[in-house]
Amino acid sequence: DAMVIQNPRYQVTQFGKPVTLSCSQTLNHNVMYWYQQKSSQAPKLLFHYYDKDFNNEADTPDNFQSRRPNTSFCFLDIRSPGLGDAAMYLCATSRVADTQYFGPGTRLTVL
Amino acid sequence: AQSVTQPDIHITVSEGASLELRCNYSYGATPYLFWYVQSPGQGLQLLLKYFSGDTLVQGIKGFEAEFKRSQSSFNLRKPSVHWSDAAEYFCAAQGNTGFQKLVFGTGTRLLVSP
């Protein structure tokens, strides 16, 4: 089945230790998104890629970076995680102006 | 400003009873509309969507939603709730021209009582 896959599902890191979360898709969608979701809140868009064009949300901290080496893969890098970065990170994909499909998420814990 | 409102933070429904979750949107033009469901610790699963056409939309898991332009609403319904429907439900909207962000409501947590 075509789908959005996120690895790992659970990630534990130490305060200040860089971490990378991975997303892959078999839908061949040209847009990929990263969201941060904290407990009992709606997802918050961090940035998205339209093909190779990177689009950062104005309020996304510089601590968060992303890479998209090819159509299928996208990575979220957190350079120096703080306690406030503990959250669920959701990847989504879509065609332009179409439905977004979400992955299962990565739960990040910062110790 | 574009916004989506889900007025109910929590709803408790008895198993087998009917369900309606409310959603209102504020957009300049009618947006694309979506309902997603999220079980604890999981990602968001698309239940149904409305782009245009028939205002009563059928989705997965026995859910349906009705678009009402006059009320700027897109309420989600299910005739008979199952215990497995307990989850967080998000209504979302997206402008229908070019690239537009998905705007979420704050979510409604559904609890199902025996």
Side-chain angles (χ1 to χ4, degrees):
Chain A
D1 286 343
M3 57 196 313
V4 181
I5 301 163
Q6 291 188 244
N7 286 303
R9 293 294 314 278
Y10 302 91
Q11 177 73 58
V12 180
T13 191
Q14 293 181 333
F15 182 95
K17 184 174 181 181
V19 66
T20 294
L21 309 182
S22 168
C23 177
S24 64
Q25 53 130 344
T26 60
L27 297 160
N28 204 31
H29 286 166
N30 55 353
V31 190
M32 295 187 76
Y33 311 79
W34 279 105
Y35 289 87
Q36 179 191 63
Q37 185 181 28
K38 296 192 175 181
S39 182
S40 301
Q41 295 182 20
K44 176 180 181 296
L45 183 64
L46 295 173
F47 25 60
H48 73 273
Y49 271 96
Y50 180 177
D51 291 326
K52 294 186 177 181
D53 292 335
F54 177 71
N55 297 272
N56 201 31
E57 293 299 299
D59 56 354
T60 297
D62 293 340
N63 198 26
F64 292 86
Q65 304 286 322
S66 186
R67 296 171 283 135
R68 189 179 186 186
N70 54 53
T71 300
S72 301
F73 284 86
C74 196
F75 300 97
L76 170 63
D77 301 308
I78 308 177
R79 293 192 297 186
S80 182
L83 298 179
D85 297 327
M88 175 74 89
Y89 289 89
L90 297 167
C91 175
T93 75
S94 76
R95 295 187 188 93
V96 176
D98 205 337
T99 305
Q100 291 188 29
Y101 294 91
F102 286 79
T106 295
R107 169 73 64 187
L108 178 67
T109 299
V110 182
L111 301 178
Chain B
Q2 299 167 340
S3 66
V4 175
T5 301
Q6 292 179 250
D8 303 305
I9 298 173
H10 295 101
I11 282 186
T12 300
V13 174
S14 299
E15 190 167 17
S18 64
L19 170 70
E20 183 169 27
L21 302 182
R22 297 182 290 165
C23 174
N24 293 96
Y25 64 89
S26 176
Y27 268 72
T30 300
Y32 297 152
L33 294 161
F34 307 86
W35 276 99
Y36 288 89
V37 62
Q38 186 177 33
S39 297
Q42 301 296 317
L44 274 66
Q45 182 181 22
L46 179 70
L47 285 176
L48 45 76
K49 61 186 178 184
Y50 173 77
F51 281 17
S52 64
D54 192 345
T55 56
L56 187 62
V57 180
Q58 300 298 319
I60 62 171
K61 304 185 180 188
F63 285 91
E64 66 178 25
E66 186 171 12
F67 168 67
K68 291 186 178 180
R69 185 188 307 273
S70 61
Q71 298 177 20
S72 298
S73 68
F74 188 56
N75 293 350
L76 182 71
R77 301 194 295 244
K78 186 170 184 178
S80 178
V81 168
H82 188 260
W83 64 267
S84 61
D85 293 323
E88 187 89 21
Y89 290 80
F90 290 98
C91 181
Q94 178 177 299
N96 58 20
T97 55
F99 178 84
Q100 303 262 354
K101 290 193 323 183
L102 194 59
V103 176
F104 286 94
T106 50
T108 298
R109 179 163 298 278
L110 174 65
L111 304 173
V112 180
S113 61

